[in-house]
């Protein structure tokens, strides 16, 4: 028997064995860690920085680029939220302070009603992002790997790249704006996900879902999210509560609001730097 077929057969047996536990009212909790890498050249441009300066900059960005999350789920609903942590003194300066203005709240998904809700704070203003949970066009692969005690299968999808590229925008001149924006609208990224049929629910971290098993690892662009621990049927269950506070907007409306604010900040920064050079 081929390795892929053997692993698939083994996973089906496991599902049949544990199926009774999932047929009842159950709850699980998965712990994730996310890490984003940064293209330093987009921030440094033609300026020269010493290795020590780059290291200090990366340390300041660590709270922005490395985060811990939990996903509490049942057969239909989930709530995904960032774990609170104590920041080191002065970590709120510079980009650390910038990231605090973009803090995301709990994200609620209901795979039965296709409901997506997120409590999102943006520079002191509270928003409630309310949208339909869009399906991803997953392509199922034959590759497998082990994540902890779980046998995982690979799936891929292509999605629009909606990330805000602060570095490239800060270097863009006015003549290039229209052309660059048009190019950005067409940008896409590949999502690579690893899911386990041993936890037969179609949930996952962040906006990812729709596979025949819990997604334990997902990579998109420069960000990777990895599950480090799963607790099934904890003695003390957590309430999966829908976010309710904030100005209600769609994801598209929220993206427009934040993009315009970022552009405004970029232009203000450019004017300050220009005034400084004249002085």
């Amino acid at each position: 028997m081929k390795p892929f077929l053997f692993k698939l057969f083994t996973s089906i047996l496991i599902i049949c064995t544990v199926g009774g536990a999932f047929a009842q009212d159950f709850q699980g909790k998965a712990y994730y860690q996310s890490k984003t890498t940064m293209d330093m050249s987009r921030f440094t441009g033609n300026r020269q920085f010493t290795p020590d300066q780059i290291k200090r900059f990366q340390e300041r960005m660590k709270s922005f680029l490395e985060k811990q999350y939990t996903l509490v789920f049942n057969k239909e609903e989930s709530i995904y939220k960032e774990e609170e942590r104590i920041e080191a003194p002065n970590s709120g300066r510079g980009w650390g302070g910038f990231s605090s203005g973009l803090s995301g709240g709990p994200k609620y998904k209901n795979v039965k009603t296709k409901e997506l809700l997120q409590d999102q704070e943006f520079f002191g203003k509270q928003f409630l992002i309310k949208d339909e949970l869009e399906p991803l066009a997953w392509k199922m692969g034959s590759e497998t790997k082990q994540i902890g005690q779980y046998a995982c299968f690979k799936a891929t999808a292509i999605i629009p790249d909606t990330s805000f590229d602060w570095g490239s925008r800060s270097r863009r001149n006015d003549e290039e704006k229209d052309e660059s924006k048009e190019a950005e609208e067409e940008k896409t990224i590949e999502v690579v996900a690893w899911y386990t049929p041993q936890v037969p629910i179609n949930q996952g971290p962040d906006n990812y879902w729709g596979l025949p098993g819990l997604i334990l690892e997902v990579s998109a662009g420069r960000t990777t999210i990895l599950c480090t621990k799963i607790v099934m049927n904890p003695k003390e269950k957590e309430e999966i509560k829908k976010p309710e506070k904030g100005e209600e907007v769609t994801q598209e409306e929220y993206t427009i609001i934040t993009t315009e604010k970022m552009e405004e900040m970029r232009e203000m920064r450019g004017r300050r730097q220009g005034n400084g050079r004249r002085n």
Side-chain angles (χ1 to χ4, degrees):
M1 183 180 291
K2 293 182 179 181
F4 168 70
L5 294 177
F6 175 76
K7 290 181 179 180
L8 179 60
F9 179 72
T10 303
S11 296
I12 292 173
L13 286 179
I14 293 172
I15 292 172
C16 292
T17 303
V18 302
F22 290 94
Q24 306 299 322
D25 180 27
F26 83 100
Q27 185 181 99
K29 186 173 185 179
Y31 296 79
Y32 292 87
Q33 60 182 22
S34 76
K35 187 171 184 178
T36 302
T37 59
M38 179 186 295
D39 182 0
M40 291 297 297
S41 65
R42 292 184 176 272
F43 290 86
T44 59
N46 295 324
R47 292 171 292 176
Q48 297 296 318
F49 289 91
T50 66
D52 188 54
Q53 288 175 320
I54 293 176
K55 183 179 179 180
R56 288 201 301 269
F57 179 78
Q58 291 174 330
E59 283 296 320
R60 291 177 183 175
M61 286 292 291
K62 190 172 182 179
S63 62
F64 185 60
L65 300 174
E66 298 180 15
K67 296 180 181 292
Q68 307 288 330
Y69 294 90
T70 57
L71 179 74
V72 179
F73 57 86
N74 56 35
K75 292 180 69 175
E76 298 175 356
E77 301 173 289
S78 70
I79 194 82
Y80 182 68
K81 55 186 177 181
E82 184 180 348
E83 293 274 79
E84 294 183 3
R85 60 183 178 182
I86 300 174
E87 298 290 350
N90 300 326
S91 63
R93 293 181 180 178
W95 278 93
F98 170 78
S99 67
S100 66
L102 303 172
S103 57
K107 179 174 291 186
Y108 170 89
K109 299 197 298 285
N110 189 314
V111 298
K112 182 178 181 180
T113 63
K114 303 299 184 290
E115 189 175 10
L116 175 64
L117 294 167
Q118 182 172 12
D119 176 347
Q120 179 75 50
E121 181 183 343
F122 183 72
F123 287 98
K125 184 172 183 178
Q126 202 73 28
F127 292 91
L128 178 63
I129 300 173
K130 186 174 183 180
D131 231 325
E132 184 177 351
L133 189 59
E134 294 290 341
L136 281 75
W138 293 110
K139 291 184 178 180
M140 314 299 283
S142 60
E143 294 180 57
T144 64
K145 75 173 181 178
Q146 197 80 8
I147 298 180
Q149 66 187 64
Y150 298 95
C152 296
F153 295 83
K154 184 179 180 180
T156 59
I158 302 297
I159 63 171
D161 183 3
T162 58
S163 60
F164 187 93
D165 192 342
W166 179 268
S168 64
R169 287 175 184 265
S170 66
R171 297 180 303 172
R172 183 187 304 160
N173 58 47
D174 293 336
E175 289 76 20
E176 295 174 330
K177 274 187 178 181
D178 293 338
E179 183 180 350
S180 297
K181 285 182 178 179
E182 183 178 350
E184 285 179 356
E185 290 173 358
E186 299 172 353
K187 284 176 61 177
T188 59
I189 54 175
E190 183 185 43
V191 177
V192 177
W194 296 90
Y195 65 94
T196 176
Q198 291 173 240
V199 186
I201 62 166
N202 57 354
Q203 292 279 3
D206 204 12
N207 287 342
Y208 304 106
W209 69 289
L211 288 168
L214 179 65
I215 298 173
L216 299 191
E217 181 179 336
V218 60
S219 297
R222 292 181 172 274
T223 299
T224 296
I225 306 173
L226 175 65
C227 181
T228 57
K229 180 182 176 182
I230 300 176
V231 178
M232 297 302 302
N233 292 313
K235 292 182 179 180
E236 295 185 8
K237 293 186 177 182
E238 297 184 30
E239 182 181 7
I240 300 179
K241 188 177 180 181
K242 295 182 181 182
E244 298 177 342
K245 297 180 180 179
E247 178 184 337
E248 190 174 308
V249 294
T250 64
Q251 181 62 60
E252 183 179 2
E253 290 169 338
Y254 179 76
T255 300
I256 292 172
I257 292 169
T258 55
T259 301
E260 289 179 349
K261 181 63 176 178
M262 293 293 201
E263 290 285 7
E264 179 186 331
M265 292 176 61
R266 182 187 66 82
E267 291 171 1
M268 290 176 59
R269 181 185 175 198
R271 287 197 295 268
R272 287 199 299 268
Q273 290 176 341
N275 292 334
R277 285 193 293 267
R278 286 193 294 268
N279 294 334

